[in-house]
Amino acid sequence: MGIFDNIGVSNTSGNVTITFNKMPESMADFMALPETDLSDPFKTAALTIMAFCYYPSNKDFALEMLSYLRGPRPLSEYDKQFIRDRFMDKDYVPRSYFNGTSPANDYKPSVPYRITLFENPYSYTDQGYAKIYVNSSGADSPRYVQLRLAKDGKWYLWEQFILSDIRQPESSNPWA
């Protein structure tokens, strides 16, 4: 048992797996998640992926969660436009980071929802920043979320590189 097991986080072999038993339906549900204490970069990175999963169906909720995760640096209009552009016909990208997804199952995660993240030798090269890596079941190389440690001791979303294109789900790919 890892030290985080009671809050849905486990750490084995250098990987950290965060488990969500259900997805939040409101900002109150989101804030009730223990991971929203943002006490380590893995939690913030996993919540970032979760927030992006909502964008196709509930943009306002997704942006509200992302604004919380960014802390003292609110989303700019440029940020919102960038997100909007990344979701053109590709609503499946954030789901591809959940364990058990694949192009064959249209990137549909199973319950409980699990995201396995990891660090590498380049994760903490800049003081006060962390790059947390995650594999997409539709990409050949890992992507990362960059977090910044604020003076309040919380890890906030600084940048993300997880919305890049991946393999299409087989159901929407005529060549699959």
Side-chain angles (χ1 to χ4, degrees), residues 18 20 22-25 30 33 44-66 69 83-84 86-87 90-99 101 106-110 112-117 134-137 145 157 160 162-163 166:
I18 303 207
F20 302 106
K22 68 179 217 167
M23 298 295 259
E25 296 179 16
F30 178 73
L33 294 171
T44 308
L47 291 170
T48 299
I49 293 166
M50 173 196 283
F52 280 122
C53 287
Y54 284 90
Y55 192 83
S57 62
N58 191 340
K59 290 174 183 53
D60 292 337
F61 185 34
L63 294 175
E64 188 176 7
M65 287 186 283
L66 289 167
L69 296 171
I83 293 167
R84 187 171 35 253
R86 293 300 172 266
F87 276 96
K90 293 181 176 70
D91 67 341
Y92 50 86
V93 172
R95 296 191 315 263
S96 75
Y97 296 102
F98 286 90
N99 298 2
T101 63
D106 293 330
Y107 301 110
K108 292 204 176 15
S110 59
Y113 306 98
R114 289 188 173 91
I115 302 171
T116 300
L117 308 116
V134 60
N135 287 312
S136 163
S137 58
V145 177
L157 172 61
Q160 57 77 26
I162 59 172
L163 296 179
I166 61 171

Side-chain angles (χ1 to χ4, degrees), residues 16-159:
V16 173
T17 300
I18 303 207
T19 301
F20 302 106
N21 291 318
K22 68 179 217 167
M23 298 295 259
E25 296 179 16
S26 67
M27 197 60 184
D29 289 348
F30 178 73
M31 294 305 297
L33 294 171
E35 292 82 7
T36 59
D37 68 4
L38 310 182
S39 61
D40 77 57
F42 293 95
K43 292 178 182 181
T44 308
L47 291 170
T48 299
I49 293 166
M50 173 196 283
F52 280 122
C53 287
Y54 284 90
Y55 192 83
S57 62
N58 191 340
K59 290 174 183 53
D60 292 337
F61 185 34
L63 294 175
E64 188 176 7
M65 287 186 283
L66 289 167
S67 289
Y68 171 77
L69 296 171
R70 286 176 56 106
R73 195 171 67 113
L75 286 167
S76 68
E77 287 306 312
Y78 172 81
D79 295 323
K80 292 174 188 176
Q81 180 64 44
F82 177 83
I83 293 167
R84 187 171 35 253
D85 291 348
R86 293 300 172 266
F87 276 96
M88 297 284 186
D89 301 321
K90 293 181 176 70
D91 67 341
Y92 50 86
V93 172
R95 296 191 315 263
S96 75
Y97 296 102
F98 286 90
N99 298 2
T101 63
S102 72
N105 71 7
D106 293 330
Y107 301 110
K108 292 204 176 15
S110 59
V111 179
Y113 306 98
R114 289 188 173 91
I115 302 171
T116 300
L117 308 116
F118 59 97
E119 55 192 27
N120 69 24
Y122 305 103
S123 289
Y124 302 99
T125 56
D126 297 322
Q127 185 175 358
Y129 294 87
K131 289 181 182 176
I132 302 301
Y133 293 82
V134 60
N135 287 312
S136 163
S137 58
D140 296 329
S141 59
R143 312 290 170 83
Y144 68 91
V145 177
Q146 186 173 34
L147 301 308
R148 185 171 184 185
L149 181 62
K151 56 184 162 183
D152 65 3
K154 295 181 180 185
W155 288 92
Y156 291 103
L157 172 61
W158 190 251
E159 288 184 283

